[in-house]
Amino acid sequence: MSAIGFGGGDLLEYNSKYSLLICRKCQYAIQKNALESHLLRHKIYRGDRKRLLSSITRLDLLEPHDVPLPAPGSPPIDGLPILSGYCCTAERCRHLTASSKRMKRHWSEIHGLDGSVPLSSFARPVKLQTFFRGTKVRYFEVTSPTVPLVNTDDDGDDDDGEAACDEEGHNAIPVVLSPQPSVPAPPGIIQGPSPVDFNLETLTYFYHFSTITSLTLPGAEHPQSAKQYWQTHVVLRALEQRWLMCGLLAISAHHLVSLAENTTTKQIHRDRGVQFFSEFSTGLGQITGCVLDLGAAKVEEEIKQTGEQIRCLLYCAQWPLADDGFDRELAAPCQLLSIMSTVRGCVVPDSTLRHSGIRNDGRGCQKELVVEGILHTRDSLHAENPHTNSSNNNSPSMLLNLLSELPFRISEGLGRPDSSQDVFATLSAISTVIECCDISFACDEAAAAWQGVATWLVNVLDHFNQMVQRHNPAALVVLAHWAAILVKRAERVGCWFLKGLAKIVVLQVARQLSAKAHALFGLVENLMVIVED
């Protein structure tokens, strides 16, 4: 193949034989509808990006399902990682997978083989590659390489289970924690499967949770309430429920992952977290499905709510780790509404985050109040600073100005809206972001920043959530601003469990808009400066 390079340092390479474009940095092919957002991810902005896209449009690029696969035993494709995997040896099957666990599942589901049969009796080891990631994964067998392999067996299993959003990958964003707690050396790995062995080494994680991690988790409106909730209420419940204790230990382990700088240390804490999470998930599933008598129902419902909250926290903490080579089982879902629901699930039960001044009932008088509030904010901010430049100023005043201008900029990009209900839901969501900024920027405390994040999620209209679900462009733009302003603010002041989430949301929105509403793409592109900061 005569490779054709594009971008600084030949970031992209065109493979004319298979009619696809490979990102040499990410080591996978990019779909046509994801090109613009992928270039944005690599900080190729405006003029450079347009010139690059103009050159790329002249290329013949096939859709993933149309790309022919190389014949078995072909030489490796340059620019793609080489994986260790397995090929099914059943007659006329040749199923390929990068995981022994999935190969065993294949034989059980397709060929009816008992799982106790040795792997070598029904599969042979092979070297694999794939052009695309996410739901477009299609492995093909290549000859043995002369370069190091990427190990993907079992614990790194991401065969067909990778989320489609992996096409755009997400890099973790560092968070400054104040004060910075010391990171204890990780205890040795517990050998053997779950259940977790509770011993003195395991208590290291419990000590870290009770003394440090518990002080960093979401609580009610006041930090003291959060401390009492996690250190007293939840811990007492966990001492009675082994599976719930495993949930707290998993949170502690993931907190240590976020604090550790050494890759080996991160991996050890992450492995322990996976062990704890496995037993926690099993216990939560069992309590969810059991039938209780009336006397125990209330207590068990409280425990179940706490378990669901811990589950959501663990999902949030795990999302950014997918790009560090960790297990993608908990990778961020591609459905933005799922991300919103999961973060909302981190809210402490019975916390009063709903404000009468934010939540509305859809009546006409409330619509007028929302519109008047936005107009008043825009006019007052223009009077204070009519020449604010969003490209080099991330002050609260600039961010509020950005929000107040948003309805008008969305209208310019989309034209006259078809649904008045969509308009009101969008304006209401923008107004709620503005009010939540007052909460988040009131002080430099993680509790206040978290309250701003959660209050918006709790108070947006159900209709707005439906707009996000159907990828309405206006709703996606507002969601991206919530992430870039409120979520990023929470990351900066110490909400470690949200680390990297702002960038994940903005990149996913950018990808949607680049494919379906290019007129609004620029509104989200400007936010990349904020989430990359």
Side-chain angles (χ1 to χ4, degrees), residues 316-354:
C316 290
Q318 185 79 6
W319 287 340
L321 302 183
D323 224 32
D324 290 341
F326 294 148
D327 197 320
R328 295 179 183 271
E329 179 184 356
L330 301 179
C334 275
Q335 293 300 322
L336 289 163
L337 190 62
S338 297
I339 294 179
M340 294 171 65
S341 299
T342 301
V343 178
R344 189 187 300 117
C346 297
V347 176
V348 170
D350 300 325
S351 63
T352 55
L353 291 177
R354 206 160 262 172

Side-chain angles (χ1 to χ4, degrees), residues 120-361:
S120 59
S121 66
F122 56 82
R124 61 181 176 85
V126 293
K127 312 309 177 197
L128 304 174
Q129 287 186 307
T130 176
F131 288 124
F132 298 93
R133 293 189 184 180
T135 58
K136 308 302 180 183
V137 165
R138 288 194 299 159
Y139 292 114
F140 52 89
E141 183 180 349
V142 296
T143 56
S144 297
T146 57
V147 297
L149 299 178
V150 177
N151 185 7
T152 60
D153 199 11
D154 280 329
D155 288 339
D157 185 9
D158 61 355
D159 191 45
D160 56 24
E162 288 183 325
C165 56
D166 288 341
E167 184 74 29
E168 289 304 314
H170 307 298
N171 295 323
I173 302 173
V175 174
V176 177
L177 296 176
S178 179
Q180 178 76 13
S182 60
V183 182
I189 296 296
I190 298 175
Q191 299 299 324
S194 195
V196 174
D197 181 17
F198 277 34
N199 52 32
L200 290 176
E201 290 181 333
T202 309
L203 291 178
T204 302
Y205 289 101
F206 180 69
Y207 177 78
H208 182 79
F209 177 87
S210 60
T211 59
I212 297 176
T213 306
S214 60
L215 302 177
T216 69
L217 298 177
E221 289 71 14
H222 304 290
Q224 189 60 36
S225 301
K227 179 179 179 181
Q228 182 178 4
Y229 176 74
W230 288 106
Q231 287 190 336
T232 304
H233 177 77
V234 176
V235 166
L236 287 176
R237 293 294 188 194
L239 291 173
E240 300 171 350
Q241 303 280 342
R242 177 189 172 94
W243 67 270
L244 196 61
M245 176 61 74
C246 286
L248 300 189
L249 298 178
I251 291 177
S252 178
H254 284 297
H255 185 211
L256 287 168
V257 172
S258 74
L259 298 177
E261 297 180 357
N262 180 274
T263 302
T264 302
T265 302
K266 282 178 177 285
Q267 184 67 44
I268 292 175
H269 286 313
R270 176 263 174 193
D271 288 341
R272 292 299 288 269
V274 169
Q275 289 178 330
F276 295 140
F277 181 83
S278 176
E279 185 164 341
F280 162 76
S281 297
T282 301
L284 180 60
Q286 290 174 348
I287 194 173
T288 300
C290 66
V291 179
L292 304 169
D293 59 76
L294 293 178
K298 184 176 181 181
V299 174
E300 294 296 331
E301 183 61 27
E302 282 186 21
I303 295 175
K304 178 183 172 183
Q305 286 182 355
T306 302
E308 290 292 346
Q309 183 189 11
I310 292 173
R311 181 184 65 83
C312 290
L313 281 169
L314 287 169
Y315 275 122
C316 290
Q318 185 79 6
W319 287 340
L321 302 183
D323 224 32
D324 290 341
F326 294 148
D327 197 320
R328 295 179 183 271
E329 179 184 356
L330 301 179
C334 275
Q335 293 300 322
L336 289 163
L337 190 62
S338 297
I339 294 179
M340 294 171 65
S341 299
T342 301
V343 178
R344 189 187 300 117
C346 297
V347 176
V348 170
D350 300 325
S351 63
T352 55
L353 291 177
R354 206 160 262 172
H355 296 282
S356 59
I358 296 178
R359 192 73 174 181
N360 56 71
D361 56 9

Side-chain angles (χ1 to χ4, degrees), residues 294-503:
L294 293 178
K298 184 176 181 181
V299 174
E300 294 296 331
E301 183 61 27
E302 282 186 21
I303 295 175
K304 178 183 172 183
Q305 286 182 355
T306 302
E308 290 292 346
Q309 183 189 11
I310 292 173
R311 181 184 65 83
C312 290
L313 281 169
L314 287 169
Y315 275 122
C316 290
Q318 185 79 6
W319 287 340
L321 302 183
D323 224 32
D324 290 341
F326 294 148
D327 197 320
R328 295 179 183 271
E329 179 184 356
L330 301 179
C334 275
Q335 293 300 322
L336 289 163
L337 190 62
S338 297
I339 294 179
M340 294 171 65
S341 299
T342 301
V343 178
R344 189 187 300 117
C346 297
V347 176
V348 170
D350 300 325
S351 63
T352 55
L353 291 177
R354 206 160 262 172
H355 296 282
S356 59
I358 296 178
R359 192 73 174 181
N360 56 71
D361 56 9
R363 293 181 300 214
C365 60
Q366 186 65 38
K367 294 180 182 180
E368 295 175 2
L369 290 175
V370 170
V371 175
E372 287 176 5
I374 294 176
L375 291 173
H376 174 73
T377 304
R378 182 198 64 166
D379 294 340
S380 61
L381 286 168
H382 269 297
E384 293 174 7
N385 189 2
H387 303 294
T388 300
N389 186 346
S390 61
S391 64
N392 56 16
N393 182 1
N394 287 341
S395 66
S397 178
M398 182 284 296
L399 296 175
L400 284 173
N401 187 62
L402 196 66
L403 290 170
S404 67
E405 292 287 348
L406 199 54
F408 310 98
R409 300 183 68 185
I410 291 176
S411 178
E412 290 175 354
L414 294 180
R416 185 177 181 84
D418 296 327
S419 168
S420 60
Q421 195 172 7
D422 285 359
V423 173
F424 176 56
T426 302
L427 291 176
S428 176
I430 295 172
S431 178
T432 305
V433 175
I434 293 173
E435 294 198 34
C436 288
C437 284
D438 290 340
I439 301 171
S440 183
F441 288 89
C443 63
D444 290 332
E445 297 289 339
W450 163 252
Q451 189 180 351
V453 170
T455 299
W456 185 81
L457 288 171
V458 171
N459 286 281
V460 290
L461 293 172
D462 291 338
H463 186 78
F464 181 84
N465 292 329
Q466 295 168 12
M467 293 172 66
V468 172
Q469 187 174 27
R470 64 175 187 263
H471 296 161
N472 177 277
L476 294 182
V477 170
V478 177
L479 179 64
H481 281 72
W482 163 77
I485 296 173
L486 293 174
V487 177
K488 185 62 181 178
R489 166 71 174 171
E491 291 180 26
R492 287 185 177 129
V493 298
C495 293
W496 62 271
F497 50 89
L498 296 179
K499 179 180 178 181
L501 182 60
K503 185 175 181 180

